Amino acid sequence: MNLDNCPKCGRLYVKNIMDLCQSCLKELEHQYEICVEYLRKNRGTNIQELSDATEIPIKEITRFIREGRISIANAPNMMLPCEVCGTLIREGHMCDSCRSRLTKDLANAAKESAAAEPVKKSSEGAYRAVDKLRGI
């Protein structure tokens, strides 16, 4: 049995999929129900209005959306913050500019690492010692 401290309240609990103790899990479910109820009544709301009206942190609302529990497909004003810069986006984890910057940085890092590696000679292979013993 794996035990851990709850990241929200610090109480000791038996580890589960959600990584929260039972009381914090119930509170999270209650927050989810409040969000869903508010969204049913106010379809044109955005994430900031939802947070202000329900007093539920944007971080938790974002968590519900990322888990797929709250759908933003039918909510045209509902957007998520980019995990890098905070710009509001409709899907994914990063905005287009952060994604392209990350792609460019990765390509540059790959080029630099390829340029830094010395060219291997074919005679320095794994079987070089065996070849010397055979006289090849």
Side-chain angles (χ1 to χ4, degrees), residues 3 5 12 14-15 22-24 27 30 32 38 47 54 58-59 61 63 67-68 105-106 115 120 131-134:
L3 298 176
N5 288 359
L12 194 64
V14 177
K15 284 189 98 168
Q22 286 300 316
S23 62
C24 289
E27 176 62 27
H30 180 67
Y32 167 71
Y38 186 83
I47 197 165
T54 60
I58 290 177
K59 180 180 176 184
I61 297 170
R63 179 180 183 171
E67 289 174 350
D105 290 347
L106 285 172
K120 293 182 178 180
D131 291 343
K132 281 187 175 181
L133 290 175
R134 290 185 184 165

Side-chain angles (χ1 to χ4, degrees), residues 6-7 9 11-13 16 19-26:
C6 178
C9 68
R11 282 184 249 173
L12 194 64
Y13 75 104
N16 56 37
D19 289 330
L20 294 171
C21 69
Q22 286 300 316
S23 62
C24 289
L25 196 56
K26 285 180 185 177

